[in-house]
Each structure stands twice: as C-alpha cells, then as structure tokens.
Amino acid sequence: SQALGGNSYQFYSSEMNIKALENLAMASALHDAIARDELELHYQPQVDLASGEIIGMEALARWRHPQHGMVSPMVFIPLAEETGQISLIGAWVLREACRQNKAWQDEGLPPLRVAVNLSARQFCQRDITAIVAQALADTGLESRFLELEITESMLMHDVNATISIMQQLKELGISFSLDDFGTGYSSLSYLKRFPIETLKIDQSFVRDIPHDKDDSAIAAAIIAMASALGIKVIAEGVETPEQLAFLNTQKCTGMQGYYFSKPLPSEEFAQLLRQGKTL
Ligand code: C2E
Ligand code: CA
Ligand code: CA
Ligand code: CA
C-alpha cells in the first residue's frame, strides 16, 4: 500500500485509508479467487455423545491467498458481503459442499448431513431458493443431507418475509440450524415461529463452563428450554473434558469443537470417516 497515493495525497496515507486500500486490493483478489481455485472447504465433525457417532459436519470456507497464505473467513466473508461478491462465493460454497458430500456417499462412506453457513446478504437474495435447488440438482445430493446455518440476527428484520423464505427452502427438504445462539436477542418462544431444527449454543457460553456460573446457567437454560420445545441442540467450541462432562449432565449430547476435531481439509475428513463413524 506504500506505492498508493504517492506524495500528492498525504491525506490518503492515514491508517484508515491504507486499510481501505488494502481491503480494495483484497476485494479484487477475492474476485479472482474462485476462478483461480483458491477457495476450499474444511469440514468439522459434529458428534452425538450418546451414540459416540459423527452425526454431521459443518463446511467452513478457507481462502488460500497466493501472498497472504490462509485467510480467515472472518476476514473475507464480511468483505465479500460488503462488495456483493458473497453471491458468487456463497453459491460456490453451497455447490462445493453438496458435491463433496455426494462424492463421499458415492464412495460408500456413511451418509451425513453437511451444514453450510449462509450470510445475511445471501439469505436475502431473491433467488436463494433457486440457488440452493440448483446446487442440489447439479450435484445429485438428496436435500435431507443439506442443512443451512443462519444466525439469530437474520430472523429479526421482517419476520413474515423470513418465515416465507425459510418455508420455501424447507419445501426443498433441507433443514435449518440457528448459529451462534444466545448472542442475539430472540427468545425461544419467538424462535418457535421459525422452522428451525437445531440450535447451536455460541462458543462464548461454552468457553468458561463449568467454572463460570453465569455461562453455565445460560447454557443449561438454553438446553432445557430447547429440549422442552423439541429443538435439537449442538454446543459449539467444546475443547475440554470438563465442558463435555457439564454439557452431558445437562443432557446436551450434540457437540462440535476442537476436543473432537478441528475443521479438516476434505481429504483428512474423508480419512476420519473411513476409519469409522465414531470419534
Ligand atoms: P461459525 O459458523 O460460528 O463457525 C465456527 C467457528 O469456530 C469456525 O471458525 C471453527 O473453526 C471455530 N471452532 C470450531 N471448534 C472450535 C473450538 O473448539 N474452539 C474454538 N476456539 N474455535 C472453534 P472459522 O472456520 O474461522 O469460521 C469463522 C466464521 O466465518 C464462522 O463462524 C462463520 O460465521 C464464517 N464462515 C465460515 N465459512 C463460511 C461460509 O462458507 N459462508 C459464510 N457465510 N460464513 C462462513
Ligand atoms: Ca456456523
Ligand atoms: Ca457458530
Ligand atoms: Ca460465529
């Protein structure tokens, strides 16, 4: 970014503008990332402690940037949202997750549901139902093996419009999970209005259990209420045996986190599946 602006535009050398120019360079590189085959998906298993089995996997996007190395989705997804590139990237992620999942099934590996993250802007795309339907049709993946992860904040805007979009998608046969639960403002009774199968307890509530009494109480309350409403729960970010033990005593058996496995490149995830469905 040094070369940008030169001497004539001192004003532009403020840190904020350098950041903006770097973002611009990043955005233009992101534009080519798909064509250059720089995007990939990693997969993290979701485990049911009761059966000890892998019950699903979450697809997480990675960008192998030629200069910057692995770029976090926390950087490039928000950037893609700002620039509108999220439609292209989001469609690629959907198709790639479906393609990979179908390929694993065709190989004879135990069939699993793959969860794909939808960003707010992607969810609001007018043709989101057609895009999801197309990804399923093109790859031949049965819709029951696809789950879409949305966040609480996406439910807050226009409730009726959101329900109608979700209903359309559900008619395809896919399911929904609610990501980062507890960080927004919705109540569980309000949630009942949306066709959601699974709640994912945000990692921020899992991190300090069982030592932090407030977080432990919140996690326990989410689990109890979800269970009363017939909604499944997955705890995110499970890293320690103590967290696992606490969640288990609260009857939350759906778990995801480093304790079981980090998100893995597809080939490593396939190896994990080939070893058997249990972790
Ligand atoms: P998320 O959907 O909440 O995904 C979970 C994040 O927690 C992932 O970070 C995962 O690697 C990380 N994680 C999993 N287990 C543990 C654990 O035990 N401890 C800790 N500390 N972290 C754990 P990642 O892959 O960096 O993704 C960050 C965020 O980027 C995701 O948060 C999601 O919001 C977004 N994202 C990733 N891929 C996509 C995508 O394809 N599309 C969209 N729209 N967003 C994506
Ligand atoms: Ca997620
Ligand atoms: Ca999450
Ligand atoms: Ca998150």
Side-chain angles (χ1 to χ4, degrees):
S1 49
Q2 269 172 346
L4 294 161
N7 290 329
S8 44
Y9 291 100
Q10 289 296 341
F11 177 73
Y12 286 141
S13 65
S14 77
E15 208 160 290
M16 224 179 91
N17 283 297
I18 287 176
K19 190 100 198 93
L21 289 170
E22 277 170 3
N23 271 355
L24 205 64
M26 197 74 139
S28 106
L30 186 55
H31 180 77
D32 300 326
I34 294 180
R36 292 192 183 136
D37 214 18
E38 293 169 0
L39 292 185
E40 55 189 80
L41 296 182
H42 287 195
Y43 297 89
Q44 187 176 36
Q46 299 173 330
V47 177
D48 176 42
L49 213 57
S51 66
E53 291 197 328
I54 298 177
I55 48 170
M57 57 204 163
E58 178 174 3
L60 293 154
R62 300 287 181 267
W63 177 17
R64 216 178 273 278
H65 188 286
Q67 280 90 45
H68 301 293
M70 212 58 117
V71 183
S72 163
M74 309 231 273
V75 173
F76 74 83
I77 295 290
L79 184 64
E81 281 240 299
E82 264 176 57
T83 59
Q85 292 163 322
I86 194 67
S87 338
L88 205 63
I89 291 175
W92 180 86
V93 167
L94 264 169
R95 180 182 304 252
E96 175 57 17
C98 292
R99 185 204 63 76
Q100 181 63 81
N101 198 13
K102 179 69 162 72
W104 283 334
Q105 292 183 8
D106 288 347
E107 187 191 320
L109 291 171
L112 291 174
R113 190 149 67 184
V114 65
V116 172
N117 292 283
L118 281 195
S119 76
R121 189 153 168 187
Q122 204 185 351
F123 186 62
C124 295
Q125 272 179 270
R126 213 170 312 137
D127 51 351
I128 183 65
T129 306
I131 289 166
V132 173
Q134 194 69 49
L136 291 166
D138 288 350
T139 59
L141 182 75
E142 277 180 64
S143 55
R144 65 193 167 106
F145 295 117
L146 177 63
E147 179 168 280
L148 300 177
E149 295 201 356
I150 59 174
T151 57
E152 258 178 301
S153 58
M154 298 185 200
L155 307 180
M156 310 304 283
H157 300 298
D158 182 341
V159 173
N160 290 327
T162 305
I163 291 176
S164 135
I165 297 169
M166 289 176 79
Q167 225 92 58
Q168 280 177 32
L169 282 161
K170 269 210 75 88
E171 272 165 30
L172 297 175
I174 60 116
S175 53
F176 281 103
S177 58
L178 196 58
D179 208 356
D180 304 342
F181 187 74
T183 58
Y185 300 96
S186 49
S187 68
L188 278 172
S189 61
Y190 168 87
L191 280 183
K192 226 14 213 175
R193 298 180 55 191
F194 300 93
I196 289 158
E197 197 164 299
T198 307
L199 280 185
K200 299 185 77 176
I201 305 177
D202 191 66
Q203 340 193 330
S204 60
F205 300 110
V206 174
R207 192 171 303 129
D208 297 325
I209 55 176
H211 313 291
D212 186 300
K213 294 300 159 218
D214 292 338
D215 288 349
S216 303
I218 291 168
I222 294 174
I223 295 161
M225 285 191 283
S227 148
L229 291 169
I231 299 174
K232 286 187 255 179
V233 179
I234 287 185
E236 290 194 279
V238 179
E239 295 184 355
T240 70
E242 290 78 22
Q243 293 166 341
L244 183 150
F246 176 83
L247 291 161
N248 198 34
T249 55
Q250 301 303 314
K251 305 210 165 49
C252 170
T253 64
M255 300 189 189
Q256 186 180 342
Y258 296 167
Y259 179 85
F260 302 98
S261 169
K262 291 195 166 173
L264 300 171
S266 54
E267 199 33 56
E268 283 177 46
F269 190 86
Q271 262 156 21
L272 191 73
L273 289 183
R274 282 180 206 119
Q275 285 161 18
K277 224 178 138 183
T278 51
L279 263 186

